[in-house]
Amino acid sequence: MLTFVIFMLILAMFLVLLRASIGPSLYDRILAVNVFGSNAALLIAVFTFVSGRHELLDIALTYALINFVGNIALLRFFSFGSGSHKESDL
Amino acid sequence: MTSIAQYISDGFLILGSLLVLISSLGMLRFPDLFTRIHASSVATTFGAICVVIGLILYNGTDAVIFKLALMLLFLLFTGPTSTHALARAALEAGLKPSAHVRKESSNEEPSPSNPKSSPHSGNVRKNREEDPSNF
């Protein structure tokens, strides 16, 4: 059952990466990377139970937090930082 | 007793992984950034809830259950916050909902004022309320 869940999560992450590569605007890519990160945290949490090493749960927890902080940092950079741009660049 | 918990855990895991897959499929096929945000929030909230509950019921010592619940709490706090910030940043950068989506929502606006004259739009509204991605 856990291998089925891992397979579905990897398939979903592949589809999300496809959206990140073809996304027409910048914010589509940021959204896709955010969803990819939360799916990766879930994947690490499931893989913990497959491998039986429960230390990996800390990595999943840290991954979820770093994903959020990285997303907010990216949005601030592209909205207010030196990466901000005009409407025509979207 | 353990087999019953095993079956419930399997059900939650299957439901969660199907929700994550459906949400990523919606992210690939929806026409607009804001509809894609709507699709992605299914995976980051309800799919995460189902997968983590399935993992808790699967095999849990106390520390593992605590860490999984903490991870679920972080995911539930950070997912809607980051999508809210993303939608706000996209609106401020000048990204609008596409014309197709705006036209559909404006066609449905006058339907509650005279529901007898247009039964078809009432059916559409009823079907939309039964949409399972509306959690």
Side-chain angles (χ1 to χ4, degrees), chain A residues 19 28 34 49 58 61 71, chain B residues 27-28 33 36 59 82:
Chain A
R19 168 53 68 193
D28 287 307
N34 185 22
F49 285 84
D58 298 332
L61 216 152
N71 189 21
Chain B
M27 272 192 67
L28 200 60
L33 171 69
R36 278 177 212 137
N59 182 13
S82 59

Side-chain angles (χ1 to χ4, degrees), chain B residues 14-121:
Chain B
I14 288 175
L15 181 64
S17 55
L18 278 180
L19 277 173
V20 170
L21 189 65
I22 286 169
S23 137
S24 66
L25 210 63
M27 272 192 67
L28 200 60
R29 286 191 50 88
F30 272 175
D32 192 8
L33 171 69
F34 300 96
T35 50
R36 278 177 212 137
I37 288 175
H38 164 69
S40 79
S41 64
V42 177
T44 55
T45 57
F46 201 63
I49 288 174
C50 284
V51 169
V52 171
I53 285 178
L55 286 182
I56 284 174
L57 291 176
Y58 183 76
N59 182 13
T61 59
D62 288 340
V64 170
I65 288 176
F66 176 69
K67 281 177 193 171
L68 278 174
L70 206 62
M71 198 187 89
L72 180 62
L73 193 70
F74 285 153
L75 278 180
L76 286 188
F77 269 113
T78 59
T81 310
S82 59
T83 49
H84 172 79
L86 179 81
R88 192 160 162 264
L91 267 182
E92 282 185 359
L95 215 66
K96 295 281 194 302
S98 71
H100 178 65
V101 179
R102 272 185 293 166
K103 191 174 145 193
E104 272 192 358
S105 63
S106 67
N107 273 345
E108 282 187 4
E109 280 290 335
S111 64
S113 61
N114 46 2
K116 291 175 185 175
S117 65
S118 60
H120 181 67
S121 65

Side-chain angles (χ1 to χ4, degrees), chain A residues 6-18 35-36 39, chain B residues 17 19-25 43:
Chain A
I6 282 182
F7 176 71
M8 298 288 264
L9 280 174
I10 287 178
L11 194 59
M13 285 162 78
F14 177 71
L15 293 179
V16 166
L17 268 190
L18 215 58
V35 175
F36 183 83
N39 282 355
Chain B
S17 55
L19 277 173
V20 170
L21 189 65
I22 286 169
S23 137
S24 66
L25 210 63

Side-chain angles (χ1 to χ4, degrees), chain A:
Chain A
M1 182 49 59
L2 291 179
T3 55
F4 171 73
V5 176
I6 282 182
F7 176 71
M8 298 288 264
L9 280 174
I10 287 178
L11 194 59
M13 285 162 78
F14 177 71
L15 293 179
V16 166
L17 268 190
L18 215 58
R19 168 53 68 193
S21 69
I22 68 173
S25 75
L26 169 73
Y27 298 97
D28 287 307
R29 297 175 207 267
I30 295 180
L31 175 71
V33 168
N34 185 22
V35 175
F36 183 83
S38 72
N39 282 355
L42 283 181
L43 180 69
I44 295 171
V46 176
F47 182 71
T48 297
F49 285 84
V50 174
S51 71
R53 302 175 59 186
H54 294 312
E55 306 90 19
L56 287 177
L57 269 180
D58 298 332
I59 298 177
L61 216 152
T62 313
Y63 203 99
L65 284 179
I66 295 287
N67 184 29
F68 171 66
V69 174
N71 189 21
I72 296 296
L74 265 181
L75 283 175
R76 276 198 73 85
F77 174 70
F78 282 115
S79 295
F80 305 113
S82 57
S84 62
H85 46 58
K86 306 286 193 302
E87 290 183 20
S88 57
D89 294 339
L90 283 175

